[in-house]
Amino acid sequence: MKKLMILGGSRYALPVIKAAHCLGLYVTTCDYLPNNIAHKYSDEYCNVSIIDKDATLAAARRLEIDGIISFACDPGVTTAAYVAEKMGLPFQGSYKSTCILQDKGLFRKFLINNGFNCPKAKRYENVNAPLADIDYFTWPVIVKPTDSAGSKGVTCVDSPEDLPAAIQTALNGAHNGAFIIEDFLTFRGYHSSADPFTVDGILKFISYSDQLFDKKADNPYTPAFIIWPTTMEQTCQDELTSEIQRLMALLGMGTGIYNIETCVATDGKSYIMEVSPRGGGCKIAELQQMAYGIDFIENEVRKAVGLPIKTIEQTPCDGYWCIMIIHAKSNESGTLKKIWFDAEIEQKYIKLIDLSVNAGDKVLPFTGANMSLGDIFLRFNSREELNSVISRADEWVHIDLE
């Protein structure tokens, strides 16, 4: 029986465990939090910090694993690449390439050095160093950790005097003690987050989405809605696809899933903002399976343990789909009683409900993806219908607190 190690124990690992079990694999889940939900469904739990590469490698060797995944778990991605390389296991790319992708500062430098569109950016570890670069940036700027996901620790800064507080916020969300500052890009249309898939370095499937934000949330840069298909101009999609393919070739990437964030700015340029060799959060791969008819998660599991990949091809989107991230507004906090939806909306549009909280749990403001209360999938027959329904979300999503 082949053995799969999954780094991280959140609910996002559950479909990976299910796919692995359907393939007859033995599953070990790893992190330092034994009460995480995924450990209840795996065959074995290994208590190890997933950011400790050598400790994870020692555990992987002891358990004699055949594959490793850090799915929708950003802190474990470089560790997964490290273990895979040391043990000769399949992974999307080399440890070196993965480190470039996973560090926003290194990634920006790589993009600039290779002629990609890239906002002006600098990576720092010294909190005082940016004060000498005030004139380098075009204000406002974005300050963020180099190695975190889910918009944690991200701040938009309008003036230099607000930099110290933003830097501290970024460092509070960082694992490696580094942060970047980059020019703030104003989007033309919407930012995109989606999960493409490569086979032998070739993009076999790619999609783009419209990512909408909640201006009423404590962190207005954390996505609240992700919509397919995108409204991005086809010429921009084609340019981004070509540039992403070029990036894959330069980094020597192989087979697997990625979470890729892109945008078109008001300067008319298309930008690759982030590329991570893992499935995205918010259940993106699961929605894409429903919308496009391809099982991305099963294929990622197959790749990880060296099983043949099922056919992956570009397919059209079946309808208009939306992931809605359930979250509290800035004035909402307390103990959860229940979350419910108007019956008409639930019956007509909602295709999946996956709540991450239970009655009695503490509800806090939406400062990052880790403060999500869950996700729902909705399907519509037109974009107009979708826009109408989600614009009234405050009316039909009910978060009862006490």
Side-chain angles (χ1 to χ4, degrees), residues 28-97:
T28 300
T29 48
C30 302
D31 63 18
Y32 68 98
L33 299 170
N35 293 323
N36 265 345
I37 188 170
H39 308 317
K40 299 177 183 178
Y41 295 88
S42 63
D43 300 296
E44 183 176 358
Y45 167 61
C46 180
N47 191 315
V48 64
S49 170
I50 63 173
I51 62 173
D52 187 332
K53 293 186 284 293
D54 288 315
T56 305
L57 174 61
R61 283 177 167 158
R62 174 175 55 82
L63 294 166
E64 298 180 329
I65 67 169
D66 299 286
I68 186 167
I69 285 178
S70 187
F71 194 92
C73 179
D74 209 60
V77 174
T78 54
T79 297
Y82 179 78
V83 171
E85 187 161 288
K86 291 291 186 180
M87 295 183 66
L89 304 176
F91 201 74
Q92 281 89 326
S94 68
Y95 174 62
K96 180 180 179 181
S97 292

XYZ file of all heavy atoms in Angstrom, residues 28-97:
532
model
N -1.038 9.809 6.217
C -0.548 10.402 7.458
C -0.685 11.912 7.355
O -0.244 12.514 6.364
C 0.932 10.055 7.707
O 1.078 8.647 7.799
C 1.430 10.699 8.988
N -1.313 12.539 8.335
C -1.401 13.998 8.376
C -0.450 14.515 9.441
O -0.272 13.902 10.493
C -2.833 14.471 8.681
O -3.359 13.746 9.806
C -3.741 14.270 7.485
N 0.161 15.674 9.158
C 1.214 16.206 10.028
C 0.991 17.673 10.357
O 0.690 18.471 9.473
C 2.577 16.101 9.345
S 3.075 14.462 8.867
N 1.136 18.021 11.594
C 1.344 19.382 12.088
C 1.557 19.287 13.594
O 1.672 18.179 14.137
C 0.210 20.341 11.696
C -1.142 19.970 12.292
O -1.188 19.203 13.269
O -2.175 20.452 11.784
N 1.614 20.428 14.265
C 1.845 20.396 15.715
C 0.556 20.614 16.503
O 0.577 20.863 17.706
C 2.892 21.451 16.104
C 2.425 22.882 15.927
C 1.938 23.617 17.005
C 2.478 23.508 14.692
C 1.511 24.922 16.858
C 2.056 24.815 14.523
C 1.577 25.517 15.610
O 1.144 26.810 15.446
N -0.603 20.502 15.816
C -1.905 20.729 16.454
C -2.734 19.448 16.386
O -3.477 19.225 15.421
C -2.638 21.880 15.750
C -1.923 23.235 15.788
C -2.606 24.226 14.855
C -1.892 23.781 17.215
N -2.642 18.583 17.386
C -3.298 17.277 17.328
C -4.812 17.328 17.259
O -5.438 16.333 16.865
C -2.822 16.579 18.617
C -2.332 17.670 19.502
C -1.827 18.748 18.602
N -5.417 18.450 17.608
C -6.880 18.546 17.574
C -7.424 19.043 16.243
O -8.639 19.198 16.093
C -7.379 19.454 18.712
C -7.131 18.844 20.078
O -7.239 17.632 20.255
N -6.780 19.675 21.053
N -6.560 19.307 15.275
C -7.039 19.734 13.960
C -7.921 18.655 13.335
O -7.670 17.453 13.488
C -5.864 20.049 13.030
C -5.511 21.530 13.024
O -6.282 22.360 13.472
N -4.339 21.857 12.516
N -8.929 19.087 12.609
C -9.977 18.179 12.152
C -9.480 17.085 11.208
O -9.969 15.955 11.254
C -11.134 18.970 11.492
C -12.316 18.029 11.199
C -10.661 19.690 10.233
C -13.578 18.756 10.778
N -8.511 17.379 10.360
C -8.080 16.396 9.365
C -7.491 15.149 10.012
O -7.559 14.049 9.444
C -7.074 17.014 8.405
N -6.925 15.296 11.211
C -6.299 14.149 11.865
C -7.325 13.085 12.276
O -6.963 11.934 12.499
C -5.498 14.614 13.078
C -4.539 15.722 12.779
N -3.754 15.730 11.637
C -4.253 16.874 13.458
C -3.018 16.845 11.640
N -3.303 17.548 12.718
N -8.574 13.484 12.354
C -9.629 12.523 12.701
C -9.956 11.607 11.531
O -10.576 10.556 11.718
C -10.893 13.279 13.131
C -10.705 14.163 14.358
C -11.974 14.944 14.675
C -11.758 15.880 15.865
N -12.974 16.691 16.150
N -9.554 12.005 10.334
C -9.927 11.253 9.131
C -8.741 10.541 8.482
O -8.931 9.677 7.628
C -10.588 12.190 8.118
C -11.900 12.753 8.613
C -11.941 13.926 9.372
C -13.100 12.096 8.348
C -13.141 14.433 9.842
C -14.306 12.607 8.812
C -14.320 13.770 9.558
O -15.515 14.262 10.026
N -7.533 10.905 8.868
C -6.357 10.236 8.306
C -6.129 8.909 9.020
O -6.737 8.629 10.059
C -5.124 11.133 8.427
O -4.807 11.377 9.795
N -5.241 8.103 8.477
C -4.919 6.815 9.087
C -3.943 6.961 10.244
O -3.884 6.095 11.126
C -4.333 5.872 8.027
C -5.312 5.621 6.889
O -6.369 5.034 7.137
O -5.006 6.049 5.756
N -3.174 8.045 10.224
C -2.156 8.240 11.248
C -1.862 9.723 11.381
O -1.893 10.469 10.401
C -0.873 7.482 10.867
C 0.237 7.549 11.891
C 1.440 6.702 11.486
O 1.373 6.038 10.426
O 2.444 6.703 12.221
N -1.595 10.150 12.605
C -1.213 11.538 12.864
C 0.240 11.586 13.311
O 0.671 10.798 14.156
C -2.104 12.155 13.941
C -1.578 13.466 14.488
C -1.403 14.563 13.647
C -1.239 13.594 15.835
C -0.903 15.765 14.139
C -0.745 14.799 16.338
C -0.579 15.875 15.480
O -0.087 17.061 15.967
N 0.990 12.519 12.745
C 2.394 12.719 13.103
C 2.561 14.131 13.648
O 2.315 15.106 12.931
C 3.284 12.503 11.883
S 5.049 12.734 12.216
N 2.940 14.249 14.911
C 3.085 15.559 15.540
C 4.479 16.109 15.223
O 5.485 15.721 15.818
C 2.904 15.437 17.056
C 2.775 16.805 17.718
O 3.525 17.720 17.424
N 1.822 16.926 18.625
N 4.521 16.984 14.240
C 5.771 17.610 13.823
C 5.445 18.984 13.249
O 4.392 19.179 12.637
C 6.497 16.740 12.763
C 5.675 16.625 11.492
C 7.886 17.287 12.442
N 6.317 19.948 13.487
C 6.115 21.271 12.900
C 6.410 21.211 11.407
O 7.515 20.830 11.011
C 7.034 22.300 13.567
O 7.015 23.516 12.845
N 5.454 21.605 10.600
C 5.624 21.481 9.150
C 6.524 22.564 8.568
O 6.837 22.541 7.375
C 4.273 21.464 8.413
C 3.512 22.780 8.620
C 3.440 20.264 8.858
C 2.248 22.888 7.786
N 6.970 23.514 9.382
C 7.959 24.481 8.898
C 9.373 24.044 9.284
O 10.343 24.692 8.915
C 7.673 25.917 9.378
C 7.733 26.017 10.891
C 6.343 26.392 8.848
C 7.626 27.451 11.411
N 9.466 22.938 10.028
C 10.758 22.351 10.378
C 11.072 21.288 9.326
O 10.618 20.147 9.410
C 10.713 21.746 11.776
C 12.077 21.262 12.262
O 12.916 20.903 11.409
O 12.289 21.225 13.488
N 11.849 21.670 8.322
C 12.076 20.791 7.174
C 12.778 19.487 7.560
O 12.408 18.411 7.090
C 12.881 21.542 6.103
C 12.130 22.702 5.463
C 12.903 23.309 4.321
C 14.039 24.187 4.801
N 13.554 25.410 5.485
N 13.789 19.586 8.399
C 14.554 18.383 8.726
C 13.775 17.439 9.638
O 13.880 16.211 9.506
C 15.893 18.762 9.353
C 16.851 19.364 8.330
O 16.964 18.797 7.222
O 17.465 20.407 8.624
N 12.985 17.996 10.552
C 12.155 17.143 11.407
C 11.088 16.442 10.576
O 10.789 15.255 10.788
C 11.504 17.975 12.512
N 10.526 17.148 9.601
C 9.518 16.537 8.732
C 10.165 15.466 7.849
O 9.584 14.398 7.628
C 8.833 17.607 7.866
O 8.298 18.633 8.703
C 7.697 16.997 7.048
N 11.363 15.751 7.358
C 12.079 14.761 6.556
C 12.366 13.499 7.366
O 12.201 12.371 6.864
C 13.390 15.360 6.037
C 14.332 14.406 5.289
C 13.659 13.849 4.033
C 15.631 15.130 4.931
N 12.786 13.666 8.614
C 13.063 12.508 9.462
C 11.798 11.673 9.653
O 11.847 10.433 9.600
C 13.610 12.971 10.815
N 10.665 12.343 9.873
C 9.395 11.625 10.033
C 9.007 10.911 8.741
O 8.534 9.769 8.762
C 8.306 12.594 10.454
N 9.204 11.577 7.605
C 8.850 10.987 6.310
C 9.680 9.735 6.032
O 9.171 8.727 5.523
C 9.044 12.009 5.201
N 10.971 9.795 6.377
C 11.830 8.632 6.176
C 11.430 7.490 7.112
O 11.400 6.322 6.710
C 13.286 9.031 6.383
C 13.855 9.797 5.187
C 15.274 10.256 5.443
N 15.896 10.708 4.182
C 16.933 11.542 4.116
N 17.455 12.028 5.245
N 17.436 11.893 2.945
N 11.117 7.832 8.350
C 10.714 6.802 9.308
C 9.428 6.113 8.866
O 9.274 4.894 8.999
C 10.537 7.434 10.692
C 9.965 6.491 11.754
C 9.931 7.166 13.115
N 9.205 8.415 13.095
C 7.872 8.511 13.182
N 7.126 7.416 13.247
N 7.294 9.704 13.191
N 8.519 6.897 8.313
C 7.225 6.362 7.882
C 7.276 5.745 6.490
O 6.294 5.165 6.033
C 6.175 7.485 7.914
C 5.846 8.038 9.311
C 5.071 9.336 9.211
C 5.073 7.008 10.127
N 8.403 5.920 5.802
C 8.603 5.351 4.463
C 7.486 5.759 3.501
O 6.847 4.940 2.853
C 8.703 3.820 4.544
C 9.879 3.340 5.380
C 9.965 1.827 5.449
O 8.918 1.146 5.402
O 11.102 1.309 5.556
N 7.287 7.085 3.388
C 6.207 7.593 2.545
C 6.565 7.471 1.064
O 7.733 7.380 0.692
C 5.877 9.065 2.885
C 7.046 9.997 2.517
C 5.497 9.216 4.342
C 6.701 11.474 2.575
N 5.505 7.485 0.236
C 5.670 7.439 -1.218
C 5.350 8.776 -1.871
O 5.554 8.948 -3.076
C 4.753 6.364 -1.813
C 5.077 4.984 -1.282
O 6.108 4.431 -1.691
O 4.305 4.471 -0.447
N 4.795 9.719 -1.111
C 4.445 11.020 -1.669
C 4.119 11.998 -0.560
O 3.775 11.607 0.564
N 4.238 13.294 -0.878
C 3.979 14.342 0.118
C 3.254 15.504 -0.545
O 3.547 15.868 -1.684
C 5.297 14.809 0.775
C 5.012 15.785 1.921
C 6.270 15.388 -0.245
C 6.226 16.030 2.815
N 2.284 16.074 0.177
C 1.459 17.178 -0.319
C 1.284 18.207 0.790
O 1.117 17.847 1.955
C 0.064 16.669 -0.756
C 0.121 15.923 -2.090
C -0.942 17.811 -0.869
C -1.220 15.369 -2.537
N 1.311 19.471 0.423
C 0.902 20.536 1.332
C -0.222 21.289 0.629
O -0.003 22.314 -0.006
C 2.069 21.474 1.649
O 1.718 22.413 2.639
N -1.425 20.755 0.719
C -2.546 21.244 -0.082
C -3.280 22.364 0.661
O -3.739 22.178 1.787
C -3.519 20.090 -0.377
C -4.510 20.392 -1.458
C -4.243 20.067 -2.780
C -5.715 21.024 -1.159
C -5.152 20.353 -3.790
C -6.624 21.316 -2.162
C -6.349 20.977 -3.474
N -3.375 23.527 0.029
C -4.030 24.690 0.640
C -3.403 25.020 1.988
O -4.069 25.532 2.881
C -5.537 24.457 0.784
N -2.139 24.704 2.128
C -1.411 24.936 3.381
C -0.070 25.565 3.030
O 0.917 24.857 2.800
C -1.239 23.612 4.127
S -0.337 23.772 5.686
N -0.047 26.869 2.973
C 1.129 27.582 2.473
C 2.401 27.346 3.295
O 3.473 27.188 2.708
C 0.812 29.082 2.407
C 1.598 29.779 1.312
O 1.442 29.404 0.137
O 2.378 30.687 1.646
N 2.328 27.300 4.629
C 3.569 27.147 5.400
C 4.321 25.850 5.114
O 5.537 25.783 5.313
C 3.089 27.181 6.863
C 1.796 27.911 6.823
C 1.174 27.524 5.522
N 3.633 24.813 4.633
C 4.278 23.536 4.423
C 4.830 23.308 3.029
O 5.445 22.259 2.773
N 4.647 24.256 2.115
C 4.991 24.003 0.709
C 6.490 23.809 0.502
O 6.926 22.859 -0.161
C 4.447 25.133 -0.198
C 4.938 24.946 -1.631
C 2.923 25.148 -0.165
N 7.306 24.710 1.067
C 8.750 24.543 0.879
C 9.247 23.279 1.573
O 10.159 22.602 1.067
C 9.534 25.766 1.397
O 9.166 26.033 2.750
C 9.250 26.985 0.541
N 8.642 22.943 2.700
C 9.013 21.702 3.385
C 8.670 20.490 2.531
O 9.463 19.539 2.424
C 8.310 21.610 4.748
O 8.758 22.685 5.581
C 8.601 20.287 5.434
N 7.493 20.513 1.910
C 7.096 19.400 1.043
C 8.076 19.248 -0.115
O 8.476 18.130 -0.474
C 5.682 19.615 0.522
N 8.480 20.365 -0.713
C 9.447 20.314 -1.815
C 10.795 19.787 -1.341
O 11.461 19.011 -2.044
C 9.607 21.700 -2.431
N 11.209 20.190 -0.159
C 12.476 19.750 0.425
C 12.473 18.239 0.662
O 13.404 17.528 0.267
C 12.683 20.495 1.743
C 13.940 20.152 2.500
C 15.167 20.680 2.123
C 13.884 19.335 3.629
C 16.327 20.386 2.837
C 15.028 19.036 4.351
C 16.246 19.563 3.953
O 17.387 19.272 4.662
N 11.406 17.743 1.301
C 11.291 16.311 1.574
C 11.248 15.518 0.267
O 11.916 14.487 0.114
C 10.050 16.020 2.433
C 9.793 14.516 2.546
C 10.200 16.642 3.821
N 10.445 16.005 -0.685
C 10.325 15.308 -1.976
C 11.680 15.208 -2.668
O 12.051 14.157 -3.211
C 9.310 16.023 -2.869
N 12.430 16.305 -2.662
C 13.726 16.297 -3.333
C 14.709 15.363 -2.626
O 15.450 14.604 -3.283
C 14.286 17.713 -3.400
C 15.551 17.834 -4.236
C 15.803 19.270 -4.661
O 15.067 19.783 -5.528
O 16.735 19.891 -4.103
N 14.728 15.402 -1.309
C 15.650 14.554 -0.554
C 15.325 13.074 -0.725
O 16.223 12.221 -0.713
C 15.610 14.927 0.930
C 16.202 16.285 1.263
C 17.710 16.307 1.074
C 18.315 17.618 1.554
N 19.790 17.655 1.364
N 14.032 12.754 -0.890
C 13.612 11.355 -0.965
C 13.342 10.890 -2.393
O 12.948 9.741 -2.606
C 12.372 11.135 -0.095
C 12.620 11.342 1.392
S 11.160 10.988 2.423
C 10.974 9.213 2.172
N 13.534 11.765 -3.361
C 13.302 11.394 -4.753
C 11.844 11.166 -5.079
O 11.504 10.310 -5.910
N 10.956 11.960 -4.462
C 9.517 11.818 -4.665
C 9.016 12.889 -5.637
O 9.644 13.934 -5.810
C 8.781 11.952 -3.324
C 9.216 10.982 -2.223
C 8.479 11.281 -0.921
C 8.982 9.539 -2.651
N 7.862 12.657 -6.281
C 7.331 13.648 -7.226
C 6.936 14.949 -6.532
O 6.408 14.935 -5.414
C 6.083 12.952 -7.802
C 6.275 11.491 -7.525
C 7.038 11.421 -6.246
N 7.195 16.054 -7.194
C 6.720 17.368 -6.741
C 6.670 18.276 -7.958
O 7.265 17.981 -8.989
C 7.623 17.955 -5.646
C 6.940 19.015 -4.818
C 5.987 18.656 -3.877
C 7.223 20.361 -5.006
C 5.333 19.628 -3.124
C 6.587 21.330 -4.256
C 5.637 20.964 -3.320
N 5.957 19.403 -7.833
C 5.806 20.304 -8.977
C 7.139 20.835 -9.496
O 7.293 21.066 -10.697
C 4.904 21.497 -8.589
C 3.426 21.196 -8.591
C 2.935 20.673 -7.260
O 3.653 19.968 -6.555
N 1.704 20.996 -6.917
N 8.070 21.053 -8.595
C 9.355 21.605 -9.015
C 10.427 21.318 -7.993
O 10.189 20.687 -6.960
N 11.623 21.807 -8.246
C 12.743 21.606 -7.338
C 12.540 22.418 -6.064
O 11.727 23.348 -6.007
C 14.043 22.033 -8.015
O 14.054 23.441 -8.203
N 13.310 22.095 -5.057
C 13.275 22.857 -3.814
C 13.684 24.309 -4.081
O 13.060 25.243 -3.566
C 14.205 22.211 -2.789
C 14.349 22.987 -1.510
C 13.258 23.221 -0.680
C 15.594 23.500 -1.125
C 13.387 23.938 0.505
C 15.736 24.220 0.049
C 14.633 24.433 0.868
O 14.772 25.153 2.041
N 14.706 24.522 -4.925
C 15.157 25.875 -5.242
C 14.050 26.689 -5.907
O 13.786 27.838 -5.521
C 16.382 25.813 -6.154
C 16.926 27.187 -6.546
C 18.147 27.064 -7.461
C 18.669 28.434 -7.872
N 19.846 28.330 -8.773
N 13.396 26.104 -6.902
C 12.306 26.810 -7.596
C 11.151 27.092 -6.652
O 10.536 28.169 -6.692
C 11.821 25.991 -8.791
O 12.815 25.932 -9.792
